[in-house]
Amino acid sequence: MFRHLFHLTKDGSATLQQQVREQISKAIIEGHIPLDLPLPSTRELAAMLSISRNTAVIAYQDLVADGYLISRDRSGYYVDPQIFAGKLRHTASDSRASEHTPDWQHFIKHPLASKRPLRQHQWQQAPYPFIYGQLDPNLFPLKRWRECVLDSLRPQAAKQWSSDHYDADDPLLIEQIRSRLLPGRGIWAQSDEILITVGAQHALSLLLTLLLNNRTVFGLENPGYPDLQRMAALTGSSVRSLQIDQQGLMTGAQLTVCDLIFTTPSHQFPTTVTMPIARRRQLLQQAAESNFLIIEDDYESETSFGSHPTPALKSLDQDQRVIYIGSLSKTLSPGLRLGYIVAPAPLIRELRELRHVMLRHPPRNNQLAAGLFLERGYHDSLVRNLREVYQARWTIMKDSLAELLPDSSVPPVFGGSAYWIESSAVSNSQALQQQAQQQGILLESGARFYSLAAQASTFRLGYSSIATDQIRPGLEKLAALIHSMKRADKM
Amino acid sequence: MFRHLFHLTKDGSATLQQQVREQISKAIIEGHIPLDLPLPSTRELAAMLSISRNTAVIAYQDLVADGYLISRDRSGYYVDPQIFAGKLRHTASDSRASEHTPDWQHFIKHPLASKRPLRQHQWQQAPYPFIYGQLDPNLFPLKRWRECVLDSLRPQAAKQWSSDHYDADDPLLIEQIRSRLLPGRGIWAQSDEILITVGAQHALSLLLTLLLNNRTVFGLENPGYPDLQRMAALTGSSVRSLQIDQQGLMTGAQLTVCDLIFTTPSHQFPTTVTMPIARRRQLLQQAAESNFLIIEDDYESETSFGSHPTPALKSLDQDQRVIYIGSLSKTLSPGLRLGYIVAPAPLIRELRELRHVMLRHPPRNNQLAAGLFLERGYHDSLVRNLREVYQARWTIMKDSLAELLPDSSVPPVFGGSAYWIESSAVSNSQALQQQAQQQGILLESGARFYSLAAQASTFRLGYSSIATDQIRPGLEKLAALIHSMKRADKM
């Protein structure tokens, strides 16, 4: 460890002894040397730094005198624990602050952190986590995933994935997506029409970077996915909020000015309504007439439990105007960050090059393990399992809500992993979110999904993250809270 | 499988029987149905699609009549192998082409694919792969990596990494980088000063996106890293080529107009020269005076085998102007895509948010496995091993080149994994690269690293990818080729 800690220079700006003292004291103050670890002996230090033993002895003596080190008989020099007593520990930043420190506001061209939404990092500790985008960890198919990972670590396999692939994806994963996942959505694609991404968010980021600039108009559903506004802002594009109704995105005049639109036909995000076939055909026809492209985010299509899932918008697309996004985050794990884009080959070629410039490719070891997982049918049986679990949870949600919150509206189509609620009993869903959190109930206010005129009576209850037997007790507590807040409003 | 292949709609645009025929024939033409797999029986098909058995029977009979299917006694319907005889196989794109197909040139705002450089995907098959950025697969520490991966798959660990982390990194990996990797470079950082990236390329992409726009000037070394020009172009920034000499990046007037500069002080990329301490101090002073930021790419610093590695530029930085980039690609594996940024906390906060919008975070399972690999000291011993191997290879390179190509210039400082050569015997290194490739010798012409006035006598020989005992034979063949090309020039 110590060999790495110190670097002496011989350019005359400080004596060797000064440098030794300065570097050791800095390492102590910053907490890099454990209290119970002896420092190198003076002989070792001298050899390590190619300095005279005398220089080392004097440096240590000075450090003892200054209170940094103590000398213990026979066992050498140690950090003096007193050095931290009554002192604020310095941080690296503090000790480097100077008048020449840059003004970050000047340098940061796209500040985003101030618009940062609230995130529930510790959701697993809450008793009633009705949150979205998380999977119940008990549903993760650990044994089968481990088997695939182990097989990806055989010597020949590891030789393949461990090298630099410039811009290429794992052929097995591509083939499995092509022949196993996509046909289930009515989509027939060739290998050169598929690109793997670091999750669906990365797919969107690539597409917006490639297709938008400060002369384009990007249309997105309202309510919709809030991160897309922030992504589009990076490209300089103008953003247009698009109206939805009970059939999802509305066609007509609002679309004609757009160059690119984002839509979620299988379950509108976040309201979960499904776009019927007739509306899908209208949308495609309008795309051809008004010359715009469509990004279809088909999240959660696999876990839809309707008996006749509607085919993807892309499967109806005769004009190659639909760019399809899928991911393994909603089935296998969001922590793995694996998604994909299906689009015409000329577009995929450009996206592949952009991906190369941005980060080369998603990690190849995970691509291979996921390919094996799909090939063995483990994803199919995972999806079957999730579908059963979600259907059972959805039924409990439906029955409990009908009983406990009878004045909440019920969306016309079901599936996926969340329930969108509009309740006349709720007058301020942000306040509800905060008060519910204090009782261990995690939900999302609908407000953050609206770019225009947020509806304060809307909120979302996810049920992929919460254990089935916690749903009813959680909803009982929530209904009691909503009623007590309503009574308080009236007083 | 078949259940996923077909989706019928009831909106009246085509009869059910037409839809069945259309979808089955399309699936056959596109090769989605294996020749040896029986199609569902008419009874199964009827049940699967909720159609009458009669509809199914007629659809199959029509498909037989049209030459798509054959009926085999007792075992059912199969794809007719004749369907492919003498036919060009349609692709999904062909069958979808229409007059409404978009004009991609109109939609793609940042075309990159046409500027795509040559990539050596199949380098492992060449006998003399002197290529850069690849690791000899025999040096990958497979057994120890497997151990760490297995431990990352224990139930409690998997529960942690498999969920959605919004924007957070694995705390163990951050701590290991902070306390084990960075002190070796003279850098002391706090946890909130480190961000994990999907490789060093991703680190650069994040930084350029955040810090550049169309009113900024980005300075980069010439010769230098070609992808950076393409990355900067995405931001609209002007790019300024900066001169280097035998001490690396030159300070002075050329830097004063820049807002951000990119430099590679430990081994200038691609020439490998090292910037001395005095030049580093000048550079930092100028950054403060002219108010610019510096990105220090410290690639290959770990495997430097000089006895006294120069401390990182960042370790000398009093003003927080240096943004440090490191990666595990040059030691562990480029296929894993793990890199990191060290920078002041306010900048990391913004970068974290930008990363969240772009792709959330690098896969958490790999972060945890890499953290365990570092914690157990396996990375330290890997680096020691690589250093020994590279030093041996470097010595063979030096001795062989001195003997075989005595008129080539030798760079003043050594280390890392490549040899930059300027030889008066080479008049066109691009032609050399092509002819060498035909003899199984993979090298890189220097031309692609220059943004201005490429020097045709320069090329690069990597030695991280080639087995030690292949170096001398490869250089003998290369020298013979160079001399034969020179003789041909003179005739």
Side-chain angles (χ1 to χ4, degrees):
Chain A
M1 157 181 179
F2 290 102
R3 209 169 59 79
H4 291 280
L5 283 185
F6 312 125
H7 295 277
L8 304 187
T9 64
K10 294 181 182 171
D11 64 349
S13 66
T15 67
L16 292 177
Q17 193 194 305
Q18 282 171 336
Q19 292 181 53
V20 173
R21 282 184 54 186
E22 199 179 299
Q23 295 189 17
I24 294 179
S25 60
K26 191 175 172 206
I28 292 171
I29 287 172
E30 294 181 354
H32 296 292
I33 305 180
L35 291 181
D36 55 353
L37 189 77
L39 272 78
S41 70
T42 51
R43 188 189 306 271
E44 287 164 347
L45 187 72
M48 191 191 296
L49 300 176
S50 309
I51 55 177
S52 79
R53 178 121 181 246
N54 209 29
T55 305
V57 169
I58 293 172
Y60 275 175
Q61 285 175 348
D62 285 351
L63 286 163
V64 171
D66 291 348
Y68 287 101
L69 297 182
I70 48 172
S71 162
R72 292 192 199 153
D73 279 352
R74 271 172 249 265
S75 66
Y77 292 96
Y78 290 80
V79 172
D80 185 345
Q82 297 300 318
I83 192 80
F84 298 119
K87 278 194 191 179
L88 266 182
R89 200 175 144 203
H90 288 261
T91 66
S93 314
D94 289 343
S95 64
R96 280 205 304 267
S98 83
E99 57 180 314
H100 296 297
T101 300
D103 169 12
W104 294 109
Q105 285 198 306
H106 164 74
F107 282 105
I108 292 165
K109 304 304 175 191
H110 297 288
L112 291 164
S114 57
K115 299 165 202 153
R116 173 192 287 249
L118 186 72
R119 281 161 206 154
Q120 302 280 5
H121 281 104
Q122 297 302 320
W123 66 272
Q124 298 191 15
Q125 271 119 57
Y128 311 109
F130 289 101
I131 59 167
Y132 177 80
Q134 295 286 7
L135 293 173
D136 179 348
N138 298 317
L139 300 174
F140 182 70
L142 186 55
K143 209 172 138 196
R144 290 175 158 188
W145 176 250
R146 187 191 287 124
E147 176 198 309
C148 296
V149 169
L150 273 177
D151 286 345
S152 75
L153 286 167
R154 290 172 192 270
Q156 280 308 312
K159 213 175 233 189
Q160 274 307 311
W161 65 249
S162 65
S163 62
D164 187 339
H165 293 83
Y166 307 104
D167 58 9
D169 285 317
D170 185 274
L172 175 66
L173 179 58
I174 294 280
E175 182 55 24
Q176 289 300 312
I177 289 173
R178 193 186 79 79
S179 65
R180 195 178 284 266
L181 291 187
L182 294 178
R185 307 293 299 131
I187 298 170
W188 309 108
Q190 305 294 316
S191 325
D192 62 357
E193 297 178 314
I194 301 172
L195 185 80
I196 310 294
T197 60
V198 185
Q201 182 108 353
H202 182 218
L204 288 167
S205 169
L206 285 168
L207 285 165
L208 269 50
T209 304
L210 190 71
L211 300 173
L212 299 180
N213 66 13
N214 56 10
R215 294 181 301 283
T216 51
V217 178
F218 179 47
L220 58 168
E221 298 168 334
N222 180 43
Y225 183 37
D227 270 349
L228 277 174
Q229 302 251 8
R230 310 202 297 156
M231 249 187 238
L234 291 173
T235 69
S237 155
S238 356
V239 167
R240 200 180 157 94
S241 285
L242 303 176
Q243 276 189 284
I244 63 164
D245 62 13
Q246 290 301 301
Q247 303 201 328
L249 180 65
M250 293 170 74
T251 53
Q254 66 173 352
L255 305 183
T256 51
V257 296
C258 296
D259 297 283
L260 179 69
I261 66 163
F262 173 83
T263 183
T264 46
S266 30
H267 300 113
Q268 201 275 335
F269 184 96
T271 65
T272 78
V273 305
T274 296
M275 190 187 289
I277 293 277
R279 173 74 65 88
R280 291 178 194 227
R281 292 229 159 89
Q282 283 166 24
L283 179 58
L284 291 170
Q285 199 182 333
Q286 212 190 331
E289 285 165 9
S290 304
N291 192 26
F292 58 80
L293 300 178
I294 300 170
I295 300 175
E296 173 183 29
D297 188 350
D298 200 32
Y299 77 103
E300 296 194 332
S301 61
E302 279 96 354
T303 50
S304 274
F305 39 77
S307 55
H308 285 289
T310 320
L313 187 64
K314 175 141 189 83
S315 76
L316 307 170
D317 172 28
Q318 299 294 312
D319 303 328
Q320 306 194 56
R321 290 193 171 269
V322 177
I323 302 159
Y324 179 93
I325 292 180
S327 114
L328 298 179
S329 294
K330 299 283 184 281
T331 48
L332 187 53
S333 146
L336 288 173
R337 312 298 316 135
L338 279 173
Y340 52 94
I341 303 175
V342 186
L347 186 61
I348 290 291
R349 203 155 46 235
E350 285 290 346
L351 287 167
R352 187 178 299 285
E353 200 60 25
L354 178 61
R355 189 189 69 174
H356 171 83
V357 167
M358 270 185 168
L359 53 75
R360 304 206 161 206
H361 51 73
R364 285 289 296 253
N365 62 329
N366 284 345
Q367 289 198 35
L368 175 56
L372 294 169
F373 191 85
L374 285 164
E375 185 183 35
R376 292 171 189 180
Y378 296 164
H379 189 259
D380 296 337
S381 64
L382 171 63
V383 166
R384 271 195 300 279
N385 185 30
L386 289 178
R387 223 179 257 157
E388 276 172 32
V389 171
Y390 289 176
Q391 182 144 29
R393 290 180 182 179
W394 174 80
T395 306
I396 298 174
M397 294 282 296
K398 183 174 69 107
D399 296 346
S400 305
L401 284 169
E403 184 189 330
L404 300 165
L405 275 182
D407 48 2
S408 65
S409 76
V410 175
V413 177
F414 313 106
S417 67
Y419 224 91
W420 178 259
I421 294 173
E422 199 175 325
S423 168
S424 56
V426 173
S427 58
N428 180 346
S429 63
Q430 280 177 303
L432 175 65
Q433 177 175 336
Q434 282 162 19
Q435 294 200 28
Q437 188 169 353
Q438 288 165 19
Q439 300 190 20
I441 307 164
L442 305 183
L443 58 84
E444 282 169 298
S445 156
R448 59 182 284 254
F449 302 107
Y450 289 92
S451 62
L452 303 167
Q455 282 178 259
S457 58
T458 58
F459 59 99
R460 184 165 66 168
L461 296 174
Y463 49 84
S464 62
S465 47
I466 187 168
T468 307
D469 57 7
Q470 290 292 85
I471 292 178
R472 172 85 199 190
L475 291 180
E476 284 172 359
K477 278 183 97 98
L478 178 63
L481 174 62
I482 288 173
H483 294 134
S484 77
M485 285 174 76
K486 198 177 178 184
R487 277 195 303 277
D489 273 354
K490 285 187 183 153
M491 285 196 300
Chain B
M1 158 182 178
F2 289 101
R3 208 170 58 83
H4 291 280
L5 282 183
F6 312 124
H7 293 277
L8 305 185
T9 64
K10 295 183 181 170
D11 63 351
S13 65
T15 67
L16 290 179
Q17 192 194 303
Q18 281 170 337
Q19 290 181 55
V20 172
R21 283 185 52 186
E22 198 180 298
Q23 294 188 18
I24 294 180
S25 61
K26 191 176 171 207
I28 291 172
I29 287 172
E30 294 182 355
H32 295 291
I33 305 180
L35 292 179
D36 55 352
L37 188 76
L39 270 78
S41 69
T42 50
R43 186 190 306 273
E44 287 165 347
L45 188 72
M48 192 190 298
L49 299 177
S50 310
I51 55 179
S52 79
R53 178 122 181 244
N54 209 31
T55 306
V57 170
I58 294 173
Y60 274 173
Q61 285 174 350
D62 285 351
L63 286 163
V64 170
D66 292 347
Y68 286 103
L69 295 182
I70 48 173
S71 162
R72 293 193 199 151
D73 279 353
R74 270 173 250 269
S75 66
Y77 290 96
Y78 290 81
V79 171
D80 185 345
Q82 298 299 320
I83 191 82
F84 298 119
K87 279 194 188 175
L88 266 180
R89 198 177 144 199
H90 288 264
T91 64
S93 314
D94 289 344
S95 65
R96 283 205 303 265
S98 85
E99 56 180 315
H100 295 298
T101 298
D103 169 12
W104 293 110
Q105 286 196 305
H106 162 73
F107 281 105
I108 291 167
K109 305 305 175 192
H110 297 289
L112 290 165
S114 57
K115 300 166 201 153
R116 176 192 286 250
L118 184 74
R119 280 160 207 155
Q120 303 281 4
H121 281 104
Q122 298 300 319
W123 66 273
Q124 297 192 15
Q125 271 120 59
Y128 310 110
F130 288 103
I131 60 167
Y132 177 80
Q134 295 286 7
L135 291 174
D136 180 348
N138 299 315
L139 299 175
F140 182 71
L142 185 54
K143 208 172 136 197
R144 291 177 156 186
W145 176 252
R146 186 192 287 122
E147 177 198 308
C148 296
V149 170
L150 273 177
D151 285 345
S152 75
L153 286 166
R154 290 172 191 271
Q156 278 311 312
K159 213 175 232 190
Q160 273 308 310
W161 65 249
S162 65
S163 62
D164 188 337
H165 292 84
Y166 308 103
D167 60 7
D169 287 316
D170 185 274
L172 176 66
L173 180 58
I174 294 279
E175 182 55 24
Q176 289 300 311
I177 289 172
R178 192 186 80 77
S179 65
R180 195 178 285 267
L181 292 187
L182 295 177
R185 308 293 301 130
I187 298 169
W188 310 108
Q190 304 295 315
S191 327
D192 61 358
E193 297 178 313
I194 301 172
L195 184 80
I196 310 295
T197 61
V198 184
Q201 182 107 355
H202 182 220
L204 287 167
S205 168
L206 285 169
L207 284 166
L208 269 52
T209 303
L210 190 71
L211 299 175
L212 299 180
N213 66 13
N214 57 7
R215 293 181 302 282
T216 51
V217 178
F218 179 46
L220 57 169
E221 298 169 333
N222 180 43
Y225 183 37
D227 271 348
L228 276 175
Q229 302 250 8
R230 311 202 295 158
M231 246 186 239
L234 292 173
T235 67
S237 156
S238 357
V239 168
R240 197 180 160 95
S241 284
L242 302 177
Q243 277 189 286
I244 62 162
D245 63 13
Q246 290 300 304
Q247 303 202 326
L249 179 64
M250 293 168 75
T251 52
Q254 67 173 352
L255 305 184
T256 51
V257 296
C258 297
D259 296 284
L260 179 68
I261 66 164
F262 174 82
T263 184
T264 46
S266 31
H267 299 113
Q268 201 276 335
F269 185 96
T271 66
T272 78
V273 304
T274 296
M275 189 185 290
I277 293 276
R279 173 72 65 89
R280 292 178 192 225
R281 293 229 160 89
Q282 282 166 24
L283 179 58
L284 291 170
Q285 199 182 335
Q286 214 190 328
E289 284 165 12
S290 303
N291 192 26
F292 59 80
L293 300 178
I294 300 170
I295 299 175
E296 173 183 29
D297 188 352
D298 200 32
Y299 77 104
E300 295 193 330
S301 61
E302 279 97 354
T303 52
S304 273
F305 38 77
S307 56
H308 286 290
T310 320
L313 186 64
K314 176 141 187 85
S315 76
L316 307 171
D317 172 28
Q318 300 294 314
D319 304 329
Q320 307 195 53
R321 291 194 169 266
V322 177
I323 301 158
Y324 179 93
I325 292 180
S327 112
L328 298 178
S329 294
K330 299 285 184 280
T331 48
L332 187 54
S333 147
L336 288 173
R337 314 297 316 134
L338 278 174
Y340 52 93
I341 303 176
V342 185
L347 186 60
I348 291 291
R349 202 153 48 233
E350 285 290 345
L351 288 166
R352 186 178 301 282
E353 199 61 25
L354 178 61
R355 189 188 70 173
H356 171 83
V357 168
M358 271 185 167
L359 53 74
R360 304 208 161 203
H361 51 74
R364 286 288 296 253
N365 63 330
N366 284 345
Q367 289 197 37
L368 175 57
L372 293 169
F373 191 84
L374 285 163
E375 186 183 35
R376 291 170 190 181
Y378 296 165
H379 188 261
D380 296 335
S381 65
L382 171 63
V383 165
R384 271 195 300 279
N385 185 29
L386 289 177
R387 224 180 256 158
E388 275 171 34
V389 171
Y390 289 177
Q391 182 145 29
R393 291 179 182 179
W394 175 80
T395 306
I396 298 175
M397 293 284 295
K398 182 175 69 111
D399 296 346
S400 305
L401 285 168
E403 184 189 329
L404 300 164
L405 274 183
D407 49 2
S408 65
S409 75
V410 174
V413 177
F414 314 106
S417 68
Y419 224 89
W420 177 258
I421 293 173
E422 197 175 328
S423 168
S424 56
V426 174
S427 59
N428 180 346
S429 63
Q430 280 179 301
L432 176 66
Q433 177 176 335
Q434 282 162 21
Q435 295 200 28
Q437 187 170 352
Q438 289 165 18
Q439 299 191 20
I441 307 164
L442 305 183
L443 58 84
E444 281 170 298
S445 156
R448 59 183 283 255
F449 302 106
Y450 289 92
S451 63
L452 303 166
Q455 282 178 260
S457 59
T458 56
F459 60 97
R460 184 165 66 168
L461 297 173
Y463 49 86
S464 62
S465 47
I466 186 167
T468 307
D469 57 8
Q470 289 293 84
I471 292 178
R472 173 83 198 191
L475 291 180
E476 283 172 1
K477 278 183 98 99
L478 178 64
L481 174 63
I482 288 173
H483 293 134
S484 78
M485 286 176 74
K486 198 179 177 183
R487 276 195 304 278
D489 272 355
K490 286 190 180 148
M491 286 198 301

